[in-house]
Amino acid sequence: MSTVALLQDLGIETTSELKQQLAPHLGQGGELRVDASEVSRIHTAAMQVLCAFVLARQHAGHATVFDNATATFHDAARLLGVLQTLGLEATPDTTKSVENAA
């Protein structure tokens, strides 16, 4: 089991870096843990990269688990309707930490 730690700032300008960070783990067998405990800002583009990554691993038969998701990360996933895709549980509506929720 491996762990990948996400950056604190996952704005649109970091999407390429995020893709490069995740690429080596795409075909990695077994469970991959993604530490989202430091994420304080996340853009839709970064969430799309994460969803594509999780789905590609899932189609290859590999599990991906998000650990310690911050409220910002969780809220963004909920607003974008990807909680299930990322394997996150629904929680009460708290959007105060999301930048540009619209």
Side-chain angles (χ1 to χ4, degrees):
M1 172 177 52
S2 296
T3 301
V4 174
L6 297 178
L7 297 174
Q8 181 179 11
D9 185 346
L10 292 176
I12 193 167
E13 65 280 353
T14 66
T15 304
S16 292
E17 184 179 347
L18 177 61
K19 286 170 60 176
Q20 290 176 354
Q21 178 187 17
L22 297 174
H25 304 282
L26 195 56
Q28 177 182 333
E31 183 179 86
L32 176 69
R33 301 192 85 72
V34 179
D35 181 358
S37 65
E38 297 296 319
V39 178
S40 63
R41 178 175 175 252
I42 187 162
H43 190 273
T44 301
M47 196 61 80
Q48 289 172 322
V49 168
L50 290 168
C51 287
F53 175 74
V54 167
L55 290 173
R57 284 185 47 82
Q58 187 177 45
H59 288 296
H62 309 307
T64 307
V65 177
F66 286 83
D67 285 332
N68 306 313
T70 62
T72 298
F73 186 90
H74 196 275
D75 289 347
R78 183 184 51 76
L79 286 169
L80 294 169
V82 297
L83 286 173
Q84 185 175 4
T85 301
L86 298 178
L88 299 172
E89 292 185 26
T91 60
D93 183 22
T94 55
T95 58
K96 64 183 181 301
S97 64
V98 176
E99 178 182 328
N100 279 335

